[in-house]
Amino acid sequence: MYTRGLSQANIVVSLAFGYGGLVQLLAGMWEMAVGNTFGATALSSYGGFWLAFAIVLTPGFGIGKALEVTDAEGRITDETALLNSMGLFLMGWFIFTTILLICTLRSTVAFFLLFFFLDLTFLLLGISYLVRPNGGQYVAVQKAGGLFGFLAGFAAWYNALAGLVDNSNSFFIVPVAHFPWSPTGRSRRSKTQRELA
């Protein structure tokens, strides 16, 4: 989002390798061990996304350099291949996230919003690389993608808090708003109707 004048993703590399990559990948494996297929698929896949993203951003791997065209003095003259590659990479994750978004329709509003915001993040960031009105990245769309990424991060932490707190360790419960058609929403609705009868 270019907040506080930051335009380079350098600090993201360490987080992408460590927290976003390794920790999510491990969490996905633990989810598989307890039989949560959705959690295992989502966490492992996004762990893989962050590891792949970190590899692309790490100069030692030379991926960005291999996709750039430079002149005899080493100045970048054409980034089209790099921008198109990043755009297609992010669009692939948009498609995957859309599939997971559909799977959240029977859960909670909070969980749905997490994947909805994440889906918009991938879509807008992908567009920002693929649609280049002045030859470079579409900054306004990139900033909008960053904003939805921020909202996705907030929703992820909100869902994490909702999953952690209960009557044994907290004085409050975090509301997650079950969809009326979800199993929990239907059971709560039918229980209320019986109590009224």
Side-chain angles (χ1 to χ4, degrees):
M1 290 174 47
Y2 295 89
T3 304
R4 300 182 69 86
L6 298 171
S7 61
Q8 296 300 316
N10 298 350
I11 195 69
V12 172
V13 175
S14 61
L15 291 168
F17 272 122
Y19 190 70
L22 179 63
V23 172
Q24 278 196 88
L25 184 62
L26 290 172
M29 296 301 102
W30 290 319
E31 287 298 311
M32 184 63 77
V34 298
N36 181 357
T37 305
F38 180 87
T41 303
L43 290 167
S44 303
S45 297
Y46 291 121
F49 162 79
W50 281 113
L51 288 170
F53 191 65
I55 288 169
V56 170
L57 294 177
T58 302
F61 287 99
I63 294 171
K65 206 61 140 164
L67 293 170
E68 296 169 343
V69 177
T70 57
D71 62 14
E73 296 171 9
R75 292 182 300 230
I76 299 169
T77 57
D78 188 6
E79 290 184 300
T80 303
L82 176 61
L83 295 173
N84 285 336
S85 297
M86 284 300 293
L88 293 173
F89 174 70
L90 291 167
M91 285 305 200
W93 285 98
F94 162 69
I95 293 167
F96 174 73
T97 305
T98 301
I99 293 167
L100 293 184
L101 177 67
I102 292 167
C103 295
T104 65
L105 288 171
R106 291 193 63 198
S107 61
T108 66
V109 174
F111 200 56
F112 172 82
L113 285 175
L114 163 59
F115 284 90
F116 178 72
F117 292 144
L118 188 58
D119 209 23
L120 288 177
T121 300
F122 283 125
L123 175 63
L124 292 171
L125 291 178
I127 289 170
S128 79
Y129 281 97
L130 294 172
V131 178
R132 298 181 298 274
N134 299 320
Q137 197 172 352
Y138 200 168
V139 175
V141 176
Q142 183 187 26
K143 286 182 179 181
L147 174 65
F148 280 108
F150 177 80
L151 293 172
F154 176 80
W157 286 111
Y158 185 90
N159 278 280
L161 179 63
L164 288 173
V165 299
D166 60 26
N167 292 329
S168 71
N169 63 12
S170 176
F171 293 107
F172 62 91
I173 300 297
V174 177
V176 292
H178 292 273
F179 282 118
W181 54 82
S182 71
T184 305
R186 277 184 297 171
S187 69
R188 286 182 179 173
R189 195 172 62 242
S190 64
K191 182 178 179 185
T192 305
Q193 289 171 353
R194 274 191 231 119
E195 288 173 351
L196 293 173

